[in-house]
Each structure stands twice: as structure tokens, then as C-alpha cells.
Amino acid sequence: MKYSINTLFFCALFCSLFILSCTQKDSNKKNETTNRGRQLDLVEEVTFLTPDGEAVSTVMVALADEPEERNQGLMDVNEMEADAGMLFIFPDEAPRSFYMANTPLPLDIIFVNADSTIVRIHHNTTPFNSEQLPSEKPAKFVVETNGGYCVSNDIQEGMRIRF
């Protein structure tokens, strides 16, 4: 079978373009995953309550109840749904301190005592900052949400959480 030079050229060109487009799609998917950073496994709900027990808002959270998970926190999480966050559970109630190193999102950090009462909120923290953010009072739980969540939902110290 004889093929003209033009036919062979167009076949080679088509194959090259096809391979190039497949490679670019794979590369775009990798960049998309890299840009999104680490993904959270949202498995629990945390509801914020008024002192009278009325629900104010609810966030879906990933749990950090093991030392490795608590150490990693929301580091390397580049984006998070508006009603998502992380719940840190510690084995005991004690003064706590968090920082934002390797955390690209501004966060509200909510310290909660063993009675489920919010004892301290650090609003809209600065990404990648290594400054310590203390609870100032003993805390057994910490909830991290997107920065501004507490102001937007009127969540204040003295309120409670339920999970």
C-alpha cells in the first residue's frame, strides 16, 4: 500500500497533537490537585450553641484526635468549604497554644473547655505565621474554621459547642 508524503505527515502530526493533549490534561490534573493541597475527610458535625442551647451554626469537620493528626492540623490545606473545619480532641484539659506555620488559610481558632464552653477565639489568624496563639484558659477541644466564620455567624466566647 502506498501513502503519499502528505498523508504520512498529517498522520504523524495528528498523533503528536493527540499525545500532547493527553499529556497536558494529566499535567493540569496534577497541578489542580497540588494547588488544592491536602484534602480533608469531613466526618463529624460541630454545632455552635448559644448559652441557652439554641443552635447558631454547624460545620462539618475532620477529626484530629491522634498526636500526628493534631500536629499536622490544617497545614497544607489550601482551600476549605465555608462550613468546614477541623476538631482537635485532646486527652486532657490544659492550656493550649496553636500557631499558623505551613497553614495557607486564615483561620478562626476556637478554644473550648471540657464543659464544651468556648473560652477563647483567635479571629482571622495570619497564614504562615509562627506566633503562638494561646488559649489563656484550659481547653480540651479546639475548632478551626475559615477566618471570619465566627464574626459571620456571631459566635462568641461563652457560647458552647456540641458534636
Side-chain angles (χ1 to χ4, degrees), residues 4-7 19 27 32 36 56 65 71 73-74 78 83 85 91 93 100 108 112 116 124 129-130 138 147 163:
S4 72
I5 299 247
N6 286 342
T7 304
I19 291 169
S27 175
E32 205 173 281
R36 289 178 43 199
V56 173
D65 54 1
N71 287 336
L74 291 175
N78 294 332
D83 60 348
E93 185 178 55
M100 297 290 295
D108 285 351
V112 181
S116 299
N124 219 20
N129 191 335
S130 59
F163 61 93

Side-chain angles (χ1 to χ4, degrees), residues 5-20:
I5 299 247
N6 286 342
T7 304
L8 292 174
F9 173 76
F10 283 115
C11 284
L13 180 63
F14 175 77
C15 289
S16 297
L17 289 175
F18 178 76
I19 291 169
L20 181 62

Side-chain angles (χ1 to χ4, degrees), residues 35-142:
N35 291 341
R36 289 178 43 199
R38 190 168 57 92
Q39 299 301 297
L40 299 177
D41 186 16
L42 305 175
V43 296
E44 184 73 52
E45 283 186 351
V46 172
T47 302
F48 296 94
L49 308 167
T50 65
D52 297 331
E54 184 180 327
V56 173
S57 69
T58 299
V59 291
M60 289 299 298
V61 296
L63 293 179
D65 54 1
E66 296 295 326
E68 309 81 44
E69 296 163 333
R70 289 192 298 262
N71 287 336
Q72 186 171 33
L74 291 175
M75 290 180 182
D76 304 316
V77 174
N78 294 332
E79 56 183 54
M80 194 165 57
E81 296 292 325
D83 60 348
M86 182 169 276
L87 172 63
F88 296 78
I89 302 173
F90 293 91
D92 59 344
E93 185 178 55
R96 306 273 174 220
S97 187
F98 276 38
Y99 61 93
M100 297 290 295
N102 298 318
T103 306
L105 298 173
L107 301 174
D108 285 351
I109 301 176
I110 307 156
F111 293 94
V112 181
N113 69 16
D115 293 331
S116 299
T117 300
I118 298 171
V119 296
R120 179 74 168 104
I121 301 173
H122 287 277
H123 296 274
N124 219 20
T125 58
T126 304
F128 301 110
N129 191 335
S130 59
E131 175 187 346
Q132 294 294 313
L133 303 166
S135 63
E136 297 176 4
K137 295 179 182 173
K140 182 171 173 67
F141 311 103
V142 178

